Amino acid sequence: MKEIEKAYNPKGVEDKIYKKWEDSGFFNPDNLPGKPYSIMMPPPNVTGVLHLGHSLENSLMDAMARYQRLRGKKVLLLPGTDHAAVATQAKVEKILMEKGIKNPRQELGREKLLKEIRDFSENSKKIILGQIKKMGTSCDWSRLAYTFDEDRNKAVNEIFKKMYEDGLIYRGFRAVNWSTKGQSTLSDDEIVHIPRKAKLYTFKYSKDFPITIATTRPETKLGDTAVAVNPKDLRYKKYIGKEFDVDFVGQKLHIKVIADNSIDINFGTGALGVTPAHSLVDYEMGVKNNLPIIKVINEDGKMAGVAGDYEGLKIEDAREKIVDNLKKTGLLEKEEEIEQNVGTSDRFGDIVEVLPKTQWFVAVNKEIPSRGKSLKDLMREAVGKNGVKITPKRFEKVYFSWIDNLRDWCISRQIWWGHRVPIWYRLNSDLAEIYKQNPEANRHLLDSESRFVVSETNPGDNNDKDYWIQDPDTLDTWFSSGLWTFSTLGWPQKTKELKMFHPTNWMQMGHEILFFWMARMILMSSYALKEIPFKDIYIHGILRDENGKKFSKSSGNNIDPLEVIEKYGTDALRFSLLSGVAPGQDQRFYFEKVEGARNLVNKLWNISRYILTTVKKIERIEERPEPKTLYDKWILDGLDFTTSAVTTCMNRYEFSSASEIFLRNFTWGMFADWYIEVSKIEKNKDEILLYILERLLKLWHPFMPFVTEEIWKNFFDNDNNENLLMIQGWPEILKDKRDIKVEKEVKLIQETIVSIRNLRAENKIEPAKIINIELNIKNTKLFEENLAILEGLLRSKIQIKKSKSSVPEIKILIDEMDAEKNKLRIKKELEEKEKYAANLKQRLENKEFISRAPKNIVDAEKEKFTKVEEEIKNLRGQIESLS
RNA sequence: GGACGAUUAGCUCAGUUGGUUAGAGCGUUCGAUUCACAUUCGAAAGGUCGGAGGUUCGAAUCCUCCAUCGUCCACCA
């Protein structure tokens, strides 16, 4: 007889099995037959190690990949990591600062700092990849990619060039978001708004200026070049178009009064001081009205030279001084405290300033040559009816509203960790010399240089090589991760992989990167390949702790997935995550859940242990065995139904229903609790048990790959690769409907068994004691045929007597029965049934119901009524016989 | 300010086109250990589905309003 351990011990087997899978080559689609199916794993940032959220993603993707592989597809699950430009540099700089290096960029310089970041990220990468393996992820390691490796860099340069040539990438002097702390620009999406208290000042620039304005940022008013009013505002109509020279706290300003429909007549004074240099909204107004841009705040967060008396002051100090000044001159009319939202940098945390700067942008509204559409148009078309399906659908709306508000995308960053902007400027020899002496300080030489070309490498020849300077900036990290679905497949080369696996079939992600990533992938792919990068998108929620709080380092509630795996095993972790996932919905994680999952894994183990150690011969059963008894029919039908349901669920990305409702219920509730127990009584069921076990292992494999693979080994006496469960094929769907008659009969028997067990428990009859029972029933044949089961499961001697009742009337023939107690119980039951019957009766007497409800519903209600009537009669009889 | 989501048993959550006496897991109570599994087995208790209206023969499910919690977007200056 086969020896199998009493409990499943994941620790001993997981690593071995993973190695076996990896060595088999089946992670690589080249070794698989069938139609291609591809999933690109969202590359985790190399800022640190993986957390439970990543475990959820790995579980989702791997479950889908394994499911598709079992269904005979040529599955590519492509792994990778993301250099995460700003995030990683910010992180490493922080670590260095904690080590005492106050200003890492200054103290280390570009090359040394880059080395620090590279070392850090290589280390995180190693840990991350190890963690992905621990999760059992069946990804193709031979195609491992990194957003910052050579191939991906080529793709980045190529697309930059293409977009530049199409006029979609341009250099512009525009108002951009600026992080003083990070000393870099930011895209609109990298800003998080946080509420804070601020003071709103209402004042006039000067005594002779007719309009009062309000602001929370008086210091920026030094850069005002206009006042905007609503054209319908009668108070100010007469001033529109007029220009004024004013003396604002000692500075000369030239203010033009302009009309703009976006101005709210009822807010504040109904007039807005326009600062094109330091507000994105004002900047756009400035462009429309041709207003000059006056930059009064510098990159270091201090007032600029044009600010006159205020030059060199910190923003807060300048503000204070200006307010003082306004008070003194009596120009300040009101000062009130308001709640305001302020934009901060998501990575550096400081308040973001808006500054005018020369940067590189992607034009989203500009028409793409020979396509008659803008990037925005492409992005809009890609989702919805004829494009990507987002699950859940509501995120489509979120996406569209984001598109509508999209501005040109600033892609150049002043940090060092990232893809260098592939632009080279040709300076005059002396300027080149000056620049090289201090690049940081002489950046403006490049900004004002009109001779430049797009190139990966120095475009100069031996004569002027030294005068060509590459743009020191790097690209927004999302510029490179936007290419992920195709840069990983060899683009810009026309590889056969690209043709085979693009567009990808499925993409899953958290809703927090919908804009950052999904939108950019759609942009890049529909532009460069004219393909929407994926067919379906699945949005999952974020994992929270047991109190509903976000996991984060600062709240100290982080859980290391490896710790969970160590304690409960990977399969348990995977199942606990997958069984609770609902699209777009946040999910709580707690250890009781994993414990329950671990118990389920062990249950499957023990089911297998029982079957494999008791059957005469372990063998694979290809054909659906012929059912001999009622329970055989029931369980085989159940398996068919479960197979069909699980398949449907997986095709719809309903991981939770597939695993929790159907598989768990069938495995534990039907197969273990009933059928295996029955098989001990009815005997000779090796074929059916083995047949079901094999299919169960396959159905469970996407959710719990390790334990199923480990059990599967017992079917073979060698460990050839082609015997691995992961490629054995998905169970065939034979039929998806259960036989209603069989269903009903089994239900009747099970209800009878439960009732009798209940009676035993209530009357405190020892479970071991054999008792005599009399069953009065119309359908004696059914009960006679299943007598052995009833007697076996109930430890009873049962006499079946013919009666008119279609529900069994149970009599326990024993002295210890407490008649009073019994009567009470029956009375209670009777009451409930009578209430129910009254309910049904009312419904059936309602003419509207009879005439309007569909016939099958009415018939079902009638049937229910006759049944409950019978039960009531039965119970009444029992009471009588007891008294 | 705008949009979206959640509210179902003590806890965590299912409930897919409106039609079962509203389900599961955990927890609780009672009982069981030579027979695959105490990481187990058996039994039970526990909910007027956030509130108020409406549509319908019929509402946890659809509509309106309200309440509470949460998320995203947005520089009302």
Side-chain angles (χ1 to χ4, degrees):
Chain A
M1 201 172 85
K2 199 103 190 167
E3 287 280 338
I4 296 175
E5 270 187 73
K6 216 169 162 178
Y8 172 58
N9 176 16
K11 248 188 257 177
V13 303
E14 288 182 357
D15 290 347
K16 264 187 256 166
I17 291 178
Y18 195 86
K19 176 101 199 333
K20 186 106 186 68
W21 285 332
E22 221 184 323
D23 292 346
S24 76
F26 297 132
F27 284 179
N28 185 334
D30 297 346
N31 302 321
L32 296 170
K35 272 164 73 179
Y37 185 95
S38 53
I39 301 174
M40 302 298 166
M41 296 174 66
N45 290 352
V46 291
T47 42
V49 300
L50 301 192
H51 49 71
L52 279 172
H54 293 106
S55 301
L56 171 64
E57 297 211 324
N58 275 319
S59 304
L60 284 167
M61 288 184 286
D62 191 54
M64 189 44 70
R66 285 183 186 272
Y67 166 68
Q68 298 292 352
R69 198 179 291 116
L70 283 168
R71 296 215 74 186
K73 303 261 177 70
K74 194 182 191 64
V75 171
L76 170 63
L77 180 61
L78 194 142
T81 46
D82 194 323
H83 69 291
V86 192
T88 313
Q89 179 160 343
K91 175 96 190 233
V92 174
E93 282 178 353
K94 202 177 155 207
I95 293 170
L96 291 171
M97 284 190 261
E98 277 160 10
K99 278 186 190 161
I101 301 174
K102 268 191 192 146
N103 189 333
R105 286 185 217 180
Q106 252 172 36
E107 289 175 45
L108 297 181
R110 191 159 186 144
E111 288 318 309
K112 271 194 189 151
L113 181 57
L114 278 177
K115 187 180 180 303
E116 289 283 342
I117 303 173
R118 198 171 300 120
D119 290 349
F120 174 88
S121 56
E122 284 307 312
N123 185 46
S124 319
K125 220 199 270 182
K126 229 167 61 197
I127 298 170
I128 288 169
L129 300 181
Q131 283 175 308
I132 294 175
K133 288 185 183 182
K134 270 303 227 186
M135 284 304 297
T137 315
S138 59
C139 50
D140 182 3
W141 293 107
S142 73
R143 287 182 166 90
L144 177 67
Y146 180 40
T147 53
F148 203 19
D149 60 22
E150 211 177 299
D151 289 345
R152 261 46 67 181
N153 190 42
K154 276 205 185 99
V156 165
N157 288 330
E158 178 72 20
I159 201 145
F160 189 100
K161 190 168 173 222
K162 195 168 150 68
M163 286 181 131
Y164 177 78
E165 281 164 2
D166 276 347
L168 298 174
I169 284 182
Y170 66 93
R171 184 172 70 160
F173 180 70
R174 297 167 53 99
V176 292
N177 304 302
W178 179 262
S179 162
T180 308
K181 198 170 162 197
Q183 284 294 299
S184 177
T185 54
L186 293 119
S187 67
D188 292 347
D189 297 298
E190 286 165 292
I191 289 170
V192 243
H193 294 274
I194 51 171
R196 66 155 188 191
K197 290 229 183 314
K199 277 188 180 150
L200 179 68
Y201 304 97
T202 307
F203 63 95
K204 275 185 182 169
Y205 293 116
S206 68
K207 286 211 168 63
D208 48 0
F209 190 73
I211 303 173
T212 306
I213 57 164
T215 185
T216 54
R217 303 279 316 264
E219 71 281 8
T220 64
K221 299 291 105 182
L222 293 166
D224 279 13
T225 50
V227 163
V229 297
N230 193 297
K232 289 188 195 117
D233 195 330
L234 298 173
R235 292 173 292 178
Y236 305 127
K237 208 162 183 176
K238 57 188 172 218
Y239 301 118
I240 292 171
K242 295 228 165 85
E243 301 191 19
F244 298 83
D245 284 302
V246 298
D247 182 330
F248 173 57
V249 293
Q251 282 296 114
K252 299 259 180 282
L253 300 182
H254 186 78
I255 304 287
K256 188 176 174 187
V257 179
I258 58 169
D260 197 291
N261 283 318
S262 67
I263 303 298
D264 182 350
I265 296 176
N266 299 315
F267 186 86
T269 62
L272 164 72
V274 183
T275 326
H278 298 291
S279 156
L280 295 177
V281 173
D282 293 8
Y283 174 81
E284 272 159 28
M285 255 183 238
V287 171
K288 255 189 272 171
N289 293 284
N290 218 355
L291 299 172
I293 297 171
I294 303 174
K295 178 178 172 184
V296 295
I297 297 172
N298 276 334
E299 281 78 353
D300 57 5
K302 289 179 182 158
M303 302 308 286
V306 290
D309 298 347
Y310 306 92
E311 181 182 359
L313 286 181
K314 276 198 209 150
I315 289 166
E316 295 78 19
D317 298 339
R319 183 181 308 162
E320 204 175 311
K321 198 170 166 191
I322 288 170
V323 171
D324 274 352
N325 208 325
L326 286 171
K327 274 183 193 161
K328 265 183 231 156
T329 49
L331 292 165
L332 186 69
E333 290 180 9
K334 224 185 342 180
E335 181 180 338
E336 52 195 321
E337 193 140 284
I338 58 159
E339 185 85 0
Q340 190 203 28
N341 278 323
V342 60
T344 61
S345 153
D346 63 346
R347 293 300 172 184
F348 293 103
D350 58 332
I351 293 176
V352 168
E353 288 296 331
V354 170
L355 301 174
K357 286 185 76 70
T358 300
Q359 296 292 317
W360 291 93
F361 295 88
V362 171
V364 292
N365 290 311
K366 197 172 168 192
E367 195 173 294
I368 305 163
S370 78
R371 286 177 75 172
K373 284 169 190 165
S374 67
L375 290 171
K376 215 182 223 187
D377 294 333
L378 291 183
M379 290 165 93
R380 203 176 276 122
E381 284 171 8
V383 171
K385 259 189 207 153
N386 305 314
V388 189
K389 244 191 21 230
I390 304 183
T391 310
K393 208 172 176 342
R394 63 189 157 93
F395 283 102
E396 291 182 6
K397 226 172 142 181
V398 180
Y399 172 80
F400 286 127
S401 69
W402 178 82
I403 300 262
D404 289 339
N405 296 319
L406 190 60
R407 281 190 281 246
D408 281 3
W409 172 20
C410 175
I411 52 170
S412 45
R413 298 285 179 275
Q414 289 64 54
I415 55 158
W416 296 335
W417 180 246
H419 297 277
R420 195 87 175 252
V421 172
I423 292 279
W424 294 77
Y425 302 88
R426 170 66 161 85
L427 298 183
N428 293 329
S429 56
D430 45 341
L431 288 182
E433 215 38 61
I434 293 170
Y435 176 84
K436 280 178 183 168
Q437 272 162 24
N438 190 349
E440 297 293 296
N442 293 306
R443 158 102 223 192
H444 60 277
L445 293 177
L446 305 181
D447 290 344
S448 56
E449 181 54 65
S450 57
R451 285 173 298 174
F452 57 81
V453 295
V454 185
S455 173
E456 225 177 302
T457 52
N458 191 327
D461 54 29
N462 283 334
N463 295 323
D464 70 350
K465 227 167 149 178
D466 291 344
Y467 312 141
W468 286 94
I469 309 286
Q470 184 169 13
D471 195 309
D473 287 355
T474 53
L475 292 166
D476 182 4
T477 194
W478 301 103
F479 190 87
S480 54
S481 38
L483 314 177
W484 191 244
T485 59
F486 55 95
S487 69
T488 47
L489 294 171
W491 190 89
Q493 282 166 288
K494 288 197 176 106
T495 61
K496 70 171 196 293
E497 269 93 351
L498 194 60
K499 208 174 158 201
M500 192 178 279
F501 294 115
H502 205 274
T504 62
N505 294 73
W506 191 58
M507 174 63 72
Q508 63 76 45
M509 69 181 75
H511 52 64
E512 72 278 5
I513 55 170
L514 200 76
F515 309 136
F516 280 126
W517 198 41
M518 184 190 90
R520 259 89 181 201
M521 281 193 283
I522 291 175
L523 183 156
M524 292 295 190
S525 174
S526 24
Y527 167 70
L529 275 71
K530 302 188 183 169
E531 275 179 356
I532 302 168
F534 18 68
K535 288 170 188 144
D536 286 345
I537 290 209
Y538 178 91
I539 306 286
H540 61 78
I542 63 164
L543 275 176
R544 295 168 177 280
D545 73 5
E546 53 195 333
N547 301 315
K549 268 180 49 188
K550 262 187 182 173
F551 285 114
S552 74
K553 232 184 205 156
S554 52
S555 3
N557 58 355
N558 262 342
I559 296 172
D560 180 359
L562 292 183
E563 205 179 288
V564 183
I565 289 173
E566 172 75 15
K567 201 164 166 201
Y568 298 100
T570 301
D571 292 332
L573 175 59
R574 288 172 60 123
F575 178 79
S576 69
L577 293 170
L578 290 173
S579 64
V581 74
Q585 218 56 49
D586 288 355
Q587 183 187 164
R588 291 187 199 206
F589 179 90
Y590 44 98
F591 282 99
E592 287 87 342
K593 226 176 191 169
V594 192
E595 211 175 293
R598 189 263 325 260
N599 295 353
L600 174 63
V601 171
N602 193 57
K603 187 74 186 179
L604 184 62
W605 176 264
N606 268 293
I607 287 169
S608 314
R609 178 172 187 249
Y610 172 74
I611 294 172
L612 296 172
T613 52
T614 52
V615 293
K616 290 192 191 76
K617 186 177 169 230
I618 298 173
E619 58 184 340
R620 297 183 63 174
I621 311 295
E622 301 293 339
E623 293 285 311
R624 189 183 198 265
E626 215 29 69
K628 295 191 185 76
T629 67
L630 177 67
Y631 267 89
D632 291 350
K633 275 188 211 136
W634 176 73
I635 202 67
L636 287 167
D637 271 12
L639 177 69
D640 287 340
F641 177 77
T642 303
T643 305
S644 155
V646 170
T647 307
T648 307
C649 286
M650 290 303 281
N651 291 341
R652 289 191 200 157
Y653 314 119
E654 290 168 6
F655 299 91
S656 175
S657 322
S659 56
E660 180 79 34
I661 300 181
F662 295 107
L663 270 174
R664 185 196 167 100
N665 181 42
F666 176 77
T667 306
W668 202 322
M670 288 173 75
F671 191 49
D673 288 350
W674 287 103
Y675 189 75
I676 290 186
E677 293 311 314
V678 166
S679 79
K680 290 176 187 169
I681 295 161
E682 289 190 338
K683 303 273 165 49
N684 297 325
K685 304 229 181 264
D686 286 10
E687 262 208 332
I688 294 179
L689 289 173
L690 286 166
Y691 175 81
I692 291 177
L693 177 62
E694 171 169 348
R695 277 139 194 92
L696 260 190
L697 293 176
K698 290 172 178 172
L699 292 172
W700 272 121
H701 185 71
F703 303 93
M704 335 180 146
F706 287 111
V707 71
T708 47
E709 190 73 76
E710 178 67 11
I711 296 167
W712 183 247
K713 273 198 331 209
N714 294 300
F715 278 86
F716 306 93
D717 51 13
N718 63 49
D719 61 350
N720 294 344
N721 285 337
E722 58 271 22
N723 291 337
L724 284 171
L725 178 61
M726 68 180 289
I727 51 148
Q728 290 307 314
W730 191 247
E732 204 184 332
I733 300 163
L734 296 168
K735 55 177 191 172
D736 61 359
K737 284 223 173 67
R738 287 180 273 192
D739 183 328
I740 293 173
K741 189 166 165 265
V742 169
E743 195 67 4
K744 272 193 177 163
E745 289 180 347
V746 168
K747 203 175 159 206
L748 190 59
I749 287 177
Q750 284 176 350
E751 276 171 359
T752 308
I753 290 173
V754 170
S755 299
I756 294 171
R757 279 174 179 165
N758 186 2
L759 279 170
R760 289 187 73 131
E762 280 202 346
N763 288 289
K764 305 224 185 307
I765 301 167
E766 293 162 52
K769 180 164 181 165
I770 292 174
I771 54 171
N772 291 304
I773 295 170
E774 192 183 296
L775 278 180
N776 295 296
I777 181 80
K778 189 160 72 183
N779 189 356
T780 50
K781 188 166 166 270
L782 172 68
F783 281 79
E784 270 154 13
E785 276 171 5
N786 292 284
L787 187 61
I789 293 172
L790 286 158
E791 291 194 328
L793 295 180
L794 288 166
R795 290 195 167 248
S796 312
K797 292 296 287 176
I798 295 173
Q799 259 197 306
I800 295 160
K801 290 191 175 166
K802 182 94 180 168
S803 81
K804 282 180 189 162
S805 174
S806 62
V807 285
E809 195 187 330
I810 303 157
K811 278 186 193 150
I812 296 191
L813 310 170
I814 191 169
D815 301 337
E816 293 100 284
M817 290 289 286
D818 185 331
E820 275 313 302
K821 219 173 170 183
N822 243 343
K823 221 162 132 182
L824 220 69
R825 184 185 61 81
I826 296 169
K827 268 189 180 158
K828 203 178 145 204
E829 206 183 328
L830 184 62
E831 253 172 61
E832 269 171 31
K833 299 272 182 200
E834 275 172 341
K835 221 164 111 192
Y836 178 43
N839 245 327
L840 286 171
K841 201 176 167 193
Q842 201 186 4
R843 197 172 304 166
L844 288 167
E845 278 171 358
N846 183 344
K847 278 179 199 136
E848 298 276 349
F849 173 70
I850 302 290
S851 61
R852 297 210 182 190
K855 193 172 177 299
N856 59 327
I857 300 284
V858 177
D859 286 348
E861 297 294 294
K862 277 183 185 159
E863 198 183 323
K864 279 182 222 160
F865 184 67
T866 27
K867 195 184 164 201
V868 75
E869 284 283 86
E870 209 168 350
E871 282 168 343
I872 288 169
K873 217 168 119 194
N874 215 327
L875 290 169
R876 285 206 179 117
Q878 283 184 46
I879 292 177
E880 250 167 63
S881 71
L882 279 171
S883 51

